[in-house]
Structures are given as structure tokens and as C-alpha cells.
Amino acid sequence: MKKLIALLLIIPLLASAFIFPVTTDASEMNFSVSANLPENQMDKTKTYFDLKMSPGMEQTITVTMTNQTDDEITVLASVNTAVTNDNGIIDYSQTDPKLDKTLIHPISNLTDSASEVVLAPNSSKEYPITIKMPNETFDDTILGGIHFQEKTEKTNTDDAKTIQIENKYAYIIGLMLRQNDTGVKADLQLNDITPTQINYRNVVTANLQNTEATILKDLEVDAKVFKKDGTSVLHENFEDNLRMAPNSNFNFPVSWNNQAFKAGTYRMEMVARSGEQVWRWTEYFTISGKDADSFNDKAVEIEKDYTWLYILLGSLLALLILLFVFLLGRKSKKDEE
């Protein structure tokens, strides 16, 4: 199942399964970045920002950017709100993600910084980011990442004057904001269950939502699909080592195993675990005939259902047998006469 989802979601950069590494292929980079940790850094052994700030506090932090080449380069920079992608990974790479309705303070709204930085050959420059903490108090975490990519020009072969942005590798430095040491307990909710497709293959997705301002770690999810009142498992998926950003959601997939959707009502039984916390749900969902036909028409490598053909052939065989018996009976009757 992981391979199926990865086919759709492969992009040049995904944040690592660890919370805050600097993510990159360093051999492909023309520049480097380093966080300058301030005095209010909560854990000075970390290489990312983990800042304790009071309500309403304003602070400017810096990242040292170094051009390691003999050419001038331009770096695209942004402070991105952490979300959870559909691989169940915390993602810091999206500049304009769809945010969860429970997220009150996206980190991108609390910061101000330049979107482009020009670095002279073999030089270093400080990149400042101004942070304005919300005035109201809150517990636990506001989470994001400072995202750096080199800006490159790619000439379109159809139009030499067309300039396109091509970004292949990036650095991400984590940015975590807290007002105190008080944590909150995670609360996971199951929202809509929806028939859809991933990479042109039929799946049903269950939207899982972390409604609290805390990172949900080491999450295991086990989902099984039955007919409405059935006892046999039709489809299932188990994933572990998932992580969710604070106040975020993602779509957990259950593959239909290259089978056609059939209209009807189904039951999903799901169990999720993180540490000592366990959530259990039993939810019903419906696949309409219209949706089934639409997705089946677009699905690839789908296993065809030949039940109707078997019924037709069986019916024809039965008719032939009856006809044979009838004709044989008439012949026997004539012979007797």
C-alpha cells in the first residue's frame, strides 16, 4: 500500500520521518544553511529552532546562508506551516497548504521574511526572520519549517524567452514556537470516508484529524472494510510509524486491490494507537452507483467482474440442455408411435 501512495506523492522534497532534520541531498546543493540559535532556545543540542516566547513577544532570528560556488546564486526562502501529507508524514515544504480548521495560528502568519536572497560568489549572508507571538496564551506547539531552495532558470525548448522555476533539492530548518512547557493530550478524530482514486487505482480514504496543538508521534492505524452487515474483511490497510503535525489532517487510504467499486453500503472498523492512547471507530459509508461507474471507467489494471458472463453462459447451457431433452423426448415419442 505504501508503494501505491508513493507513486502519487513523490515530489523532490519531503520532510523526514524525524521531527526536524535539515533535509537535503548536500552533494547536489550549491549553498548551505545554519540556524543561529538564540538564548531562548529550549534545547540547545538541537540544530533547529525550538523557541520559548511569551505572549505578544516579537523576536528576530537569523539563519546563516553560505554560497559555496564561484557564481552568484539566488535562493528562494519561505516559512511554511507544518501539515500532514497523505503518506502520514509531517510536511514542511508546502508554501500554501490547505490548513486544518482547528489551526488557529499558522506559523506562516506569525513571521515576516524575504522570499528571495541573492548570494555573492563564495560568500555568507544572514537571513533574518521576524516572529510575532500571538497575544493570547496557549499550551504546547506552533510548528513550521524554514524552507530554502535554489532558484534556477530553465529554458523552454518551445519558447526560448520563457523562464521557468525548477527546484529539485532543498534545506528545511524546523521552527517550533512554545509559550511554556505545558503539553496537551492528542485527540484524533475520524471524519469523512470517501471513495476516490490514487494513481488511477480505486481506494477509499478515511480522513484522520489531529485536533490538538501537539505533534502526534509513532501513530499506528489499522483499517478494515466490510459489507454493511458482513463479517468477512473485504479490504484492509495497516500502517505504522506515522506522524501528524499539530492541528492537521490527512487521508488514510485503503486500497481496493485493483477491484472494481460496487455500489452499496460498507462498514469501516478502524483502530489507531499512539503510545498509550487508543482510538476506535466503526463507521458506515456508501459508494453510489454513479461514483462506482465513474471511478471504474478511469481505473487502470482493474480486475474485471465476469459474473454476468458466467450467468449468461450458464443460462445458455441450461437452455441447450432443456432443448436437447425436449427434442430427445419428441424423438422417443415418435419411435414409440
Side-chain angles (χ1 to χ4, degrees):
M1 188 64 194
K2 290 181 179 177
K3 293 180 180 179
L4 171 62
I5 307 307
L7 289 174
L8 177 70
L9 297 173
I10 287 174
I11 58 175
L13 171 73
L14 287 176
S16 163
F18 300 98
I19 298 180
F20 289 131
V22 175
T23 304
T24 183
D25 182 343
S27 65
E28 298 290 339
M29 304 295 285
N30 292 321
F31 70 100
S32 62
V33 297
S34 177
N36 301 312
L37 304 179
E39 287 300 317
N40 57 327
Q41 172 80 4
M42 296 191 70
D43 187 345
K44 290 181 171 57
T45 66
K46 304 300 184 183
T47 58
Y48 58 86
F49 293 104
D50 180 8
L51 307 181
K52 186 175 183 179
M53 300 176 64
S54 57
M57 177 179 173
E58 187 169 317
Q59 178 179 4
T60 298
I61 58 175
T62 61
V63 174
T64 300
M65 306 172 63
T66 301
N67 180 0
Q68 302 165 335
T69 74
D70 296 329
D71 300 312
E72 179 181 276
I73 63 174
T74 299
V75 177
L76 304 176
S78 59
V79 179
N80 300 333
T81 300
V83 295
T84 306
N85 66 30
D86 286 348
N87 277 330
I89 297 174
I90 299 178
D91 188 351
Y92 310 92
S93 68
Q94 300 183 45
T95 56
D96 187 25
K98 184 178 180 180
L99 300 178
D100 190 86
K101 62 182 181 180
T102 66
L103 181 61
I104 300 174
H105 299 296
I107 206 166
S108 55
N109 293 350
L110 306 177
T111 58
D112 185 28
S113 58
S115 59
E116 290 191 10
V117 179
V118 178
L119 298 177
N122 298 299
S123 69
S124 294
K125 180 180 289 189
E126 299 300 302
Y127 177 71
I129 302 165
T130 301
I131 305 169
K132 179 67 166 62
M133 189 63 108
N135 292 320
E136 63 268 28
T137 59
F138 64 85
D139 294 330
D140 221 304
T141 307
I142 296 176
L143 185 63
I146 312 165
H147 185 270
F148 301 94
Q149 287 182 316
E150 184 178 351
K151 180 179 180 180
T152 59
E153 295 183 350
K154 180 181 178 182
T155 302
N156 191 316
T157 55
D158 297 329
D159 183 358
K161 296 181 180 180
T162 301
I163 302 298
Q164 298 179 337
I165 302 300
E166 183 184 42
N167 298 312
K168 291 185 177 180
Y169 301 97
Y171 286 106
I172 292 177
I173 297 178
L175 178 56
M176 177 185 289
L177 306 180
R178 292 186 274 179
Q179 291 184 353
N180 52 55
D181 298 325
T182 304
V184 297
K185 193 174 183 179
D187 185 20
L188 196 61
Q189 294 187 8
L190 172 60
N191 297 321
D192 296 336
I193 301 173
T194 308
T196 184
Q197 286 188 334
I198 295 178
N199 203 37
Y200 295 99
R201 288 168 171 81
N202 289 347
V203 301
V204 165
T205 60
N207 184 263
L208 290 174
Q209 181 183 31
N210 176 15
T211 62
E212 300 298 326
T214 188
I215 300 171
L216 190 54
K217 308 173 187 177
D218 302 321
L219 178 65
E220 296 181 355
V221 180
D222 186 13
K224 294 181 173 65
V225 175
F226 305 79
K227 290 293 288 183
K228 180 181 178 181
D229 299 316
T231 57
S232 299
V233 177
L234 301 177
H235 307 284
E236 62 182 317
N237 185 26
F238 172 81
E239 302 287 353
D240 58 2
N241 297 319
L242 306 179
R243 289 177 180 265
M244 294 186 69
N247 301 107
S248 69
N249 68 84
F250 80 106
N251 294 312
F252 183 83
V254 178
S255 172
W256 230 242
N257 303 314
N258 289 331
Q259 296 180 16
F261 278 140
K262 294 181 180 179
T265 300
Y266 297 84
R267 183 179 83 255
M268 178 177 287
E269 295 184 3
M270 178 179 283
V271 180
R273 294 182 175 86
S274 176
E276 296 181 354
Q277 288 188 271
V278 180
W279 297 270
R280 300 178 187 275
W281 302 276
T282 297
E283 298 290 340
Y284 295 87
F285 65 97
T286 299
I287 300 177
S288 68
K290 181 180 178 181
D291 283 344
D293 292 341
S294 176
F295 289 125
N296 292 341
D297 287 343
K298 294 180 290 185
V300 297
E301 298 181 4
I302 196 169
E303 295 177 3
K304 302 299 182 181
D305 185 356
Y306 294 106
T307 303
W308 64 271
L309 181 59
Y310 298 146
I311 294 174
L312 178 61
L313 292 175
S315 299
L316 289 175
L317 181 60
L319 288 173
L320 288 174
I321 292 173
L322 289 174
L323 180 60
F324 176 76
V325 171
F326 174 73
L327 294 176
L328 184 62
R330 289 188 61 182
K331 183 176 183 302
S332 298
K333 186 176 181 180
K334 287 182 178 180
D335 290 343
E336 291 177 357
E337 293 176 349

